[in-house]
Amino acid sequence: GNSREAAVANEHYTPLNILFVDDSAAVRAVYEQLLKKAGYCVALAAGPEQALELTRSFIPDISIIDYYMPNGGGVELTRRLLQQTNTQNTLLVIHTDQRVSAADALSLGAMDVMYKRDSVDLFLLRIASMERYIRTQQANREQATLQAQNEYAAFQQGVAEMSANILHNVGNTIQGMRSSLEEVLLHFEDLKKIQSLYAELIDSLAMERASGGEQRLEQLEQTLTDAGYRLPEALDNLLVPTGHCFQKLGKGIDHVTEVIRVQQRGVHSDVQRDTFSLRQLVDDLFILSESELSQREINFKQWNIPAFPEVKLPRNQLLQALINLVKNAAESIDARIEAGELEPGKGEILLKMDSSAKMLSIEVSDNGAGFTKAEHPHLLEFGFTTKVSGNGFGLHAVGNFVGLCNGKMEIQSPGPWLGAIVVLSLPI
């Protein structure tokens, strides 16, 4: 028909392979010409052994088998074609006379039975019907393969994004923990100096006692006594800030553990919400960010942080989102300083909050590098960044979190070197 002629004319059309097996040379010649004229690729065989030999290199889509070949050859060939791995999916057609019933032919595993007395037109119509079935199956397989490839690509992208998100979130926290650890090590060095000083005094005292120098002995004893009076204050000056550093390290470890626990649960649209105090959340944010911001000499301010009422949101994800926003603001300030557009020590980050009965508004603003109108549409894209040292994960992760909470996120900037403002609106 016209549809098949159009398909044959298509440059991407691949003709079906048809294996035609009959012990009559005359029958083979007639059907070879008929099938080739219809646009099929045809292989001919006079018997089972020749047919099986052909299938080593010629894989038939349709196999048309003469039932009455010597020594039951048609039945045996049908059985063997269905057993061979490379031909087990061929559509088998028994080609015979009226002595063979359709039931007998189909019981062998054939898809159809055609009688040699049928008209040529009917023969071709039934072959064309099988071709439509084969093409449909091929299209379905190709579509299923393409869908599987797309799903796997999406899965791989999801894995890459989740891995990047974990590394980014954990990396932010560990960076602050490293600053705290360096501070602890500095205090530890001061303690070692105190220990060394007392050790030297005690050694000198022992030597003077042995030598009998009374005047020097009295001076050393007085020095040791005076040092002993000052020791509690000196230790207090070291141990209190060291305690604060350990508190920051503890908070950091807790947060890293929670980041991993959240990712292990998987990302679901139905996020787990906790009831918590915003005041306590912001205190944790300051503890986790303090060391790094202090090293950068960035002033971190807060305004209008409500102590009550408590809110119900995914606490850890919200804390991580705020850490990402603060780090992003700090990197933006660094970029402006490196460009000579801001003096060192003049960087500022401001955190504001406002809550109502149904909505929590969080605003994080900075006086960093800002961005252009052209960059604005791409800020939440995975991997996009306006900073040389950035990785494009932070804002993207924040946007994902806001989306899971059915909230809104707005990012504004007056322009390059004029800072930026990020506003989160979260239903509570």
Side-chain angles (χ1 to χ4, degrees):
N2 292 336
S3 60
R4 187 174 191 285
E5 290 172 1
V8 172
N10 190 315
E11 59 179 301
H12 300 295
Y13 174 83
T14 302
L16 292 188
N17 288 342
I18 295 181
L19 173 64
F20 190 90
V21 186
D22 197 293
D23 59 344
S24 167
V27 172
R28 293 197 302 273
V30 170
Y31 281 94
E32 178 186 24
Q33 183 179 5
L34 185 67
L35 290 169
K36 284 186 175 180
K37 187 177 179 180
Y40 299 106
C41 182
V42 183
L44 301 175
E49 296 304 323
Q50 186 180 5
L52 293 171
E53 181 67 24
L54 281 173
T55 59
R56 291 185 179 182
S57 57
F58 183 87
I59 309 301
D61 297 296
I62 300 173
S63 295
I64 303 173
I65 310 298
D66 180 20
Y67 186 85
Y68 286 112
M69 286 190 289
N71 301 317
V75 175
E76 177 64 15
L77 177 58
T78 299
R79 182 184 64 80
R80 292 181 65 178
L81 286 174
L82 291 175
Q83 288 178 344
Q84 280 189 167
T85 302
N86 62 335
T87 57
Q88 61 185 4
N89 291 323
T90 185
L91 295 187
L92 277 162
V93 177
I94 298 299
H95 197 220
T96 185
D97 57 33
Q98 291 297 120
R99 289 176 294 172
V100 178
S101 68
D104 290 339
L106 296 176
S107 67
L108 295 175
M111 181 184 183
D112 199 2
V113 57
M114 294 187 187
Y115 296 108
K116 294 182 179 181
R117 71 176 189 179
D118 291 340
S119 69
V120 168
D121 290 341
L122 179 59
F123 176 84
L124 291 177
L125 283 172
R126 294 172 78 171
I127 294 296
S129 175
M130 293 180 198
E131 180 179 8
R132 287 193 295 275
Y133 170 79
I134 291 171
R135 299 292 185 193
T136 300
Q137 294 301 309
Q138 289 175 341
N140 290 341
R141 283 195 296 271
E142 290 172 0
Q143 185 176 0
T145 300
L146 180 61
Q147 182 177 352
Q149 290 173 342
N150 290 339
E151 289 176 353
Y152 182 72
F155 169 75
Q156 290 291 81
Q157 174 65 18
V159 169
E161 186 171 333
M162 185 175 68
S163 300
N165 190 44
I166 294 174
L167 292 174
H168 179 73
N169 293 343
V170 171
N172 284 351
T173 305
I174 289 179
Q175 193 168 349
M177 293 168 65
R178 179 180 177 84
S179 298
S180 297
L181 180 60
E182 289 173 352
E183 195 174 340
V184 168
L185 293 175
L186 288 175
H187 297 326
F188 183 70
E189 289 299 319
D190 290 337
L191 285 172
K192 287 174 66 176
K193 290 177 183 177
I194 293 175
Q195 180 195 34
S196 177
L197 175 62
Y198 272 85
E200 289 176 7
L201 283 172
I202 291 171
D203 288 344
S204 298
L205 193 62
M207 291 175 61
E208 291 299 328
R209 282 176 177 167
S211 64
E214 292 295 330
Q215 185 176 357
R216 176 61 177 162
L217 183 62
E218 289 180 4
Q219 290 177 347
L220 289 172
E221 287 177 343
Q222 186 60 47
T223 300
L224 187 59
T225 301
D226 293 341
Y229 284 123
R230 292 194 296 270
L231 181 60
E233 181 181 358
L235 290 176
D236 191 55
N237 290 335
L238 290 174
L239 293 177
V240 170
T242 302
H244 290 321
C245 291
F246 280 121
Q247 182 187 19
K248 295 173 191 175
L249 287 170
K251 287 285 185 182
I253 291 170
D254 290 342
H255 185 65
V256 169
T257 302
E258 182 64 14
V259 167
I260 295 172
R261 186 179 67 84
V262 168
Q263 295 299 334
Q264 286 175 334
R265 284 204 309 260
V267 180
H268 303 287
S269 57
D270 183 20
V271 292
Q272 181 177 346
R273 294 172 177 259
D274 308 299
T275 301
F276 59 91
S277 162
L278 288 173
R279 178 72 268 166
Q280 183 61 53
L281 179 81
V282 173
D283 287 345
D284 286 351
L285 173 64
F286 269 74
I287 288 172
L288 291 170
S289 307
E290 181 184 7
S291 296
E292 185 179 352
L293 295 180
S294 296
Q295 285 187 347
R296 287 171 151 161
E297 297 182 358
I298 294 175
N299 188 14
F300 190 9
K301 300 178 181 179
Q302 52 177 301
W303 181 74
N304 196 35
I305 310 299
F308 299 99
E310 293 185 331
V311 297
K312 190 171 185 179
L313 285 166
R315 186 188 191 280
N316 186 68
Q317 290 97 318
L318 176 56
L319 176 58
Q320 186 60 62
L322 294 178
I323 290 174
N324 287 346
L325 292 179
V326 170
K327 180 173 174 55
N328 193 71
E331 290 174 347
S332 180
I333 290 170
D334 286 346
R336 185 175 178 184
I337 292 173
E338 289 172 4
E341 297 289 335
L342 184 69
E343 293 181 22
K346 298 296 185 180
E348 290 187 355
I349 300 173
L350 177 61
L351 172 67
K352 297 181 183 179
M353 288 190 180
D354 186 25
S355 63
S356 63
K358 296 183 178 180
M359 193 68 63
L360 170 65
S361 175
I362 302 173
E363 179 181 307
V364 179
S365 59
D366 64 73
N367 61 343
F371 51 85
T372 65
K373 288 184 179 180
E375 291 169 336
H376 183 266
H378 306 288
L379 292 176
L380 295 183
E381 291 179 4
F382 181 73
F384 179 83
T385 180
T386 60
K387 302 180 291 293
V388 175
S389 60
N391 50 38
F393 301 152
L395 285 179
H396 177 77
V398 175
N400 283 347
F401 163 71
V402 172
L404 288 175
C405 293
N406 296 318
K408 294 181 180 179
M409 179 177 180
E410 297 180 17
I411 309 175
Q412 305 167 7
S413 174
W417 315 123
L418 297 176
I421 301 173
V422 180
V423 180
L424 310 184
S425 299
L426 304 171
I428 54 177

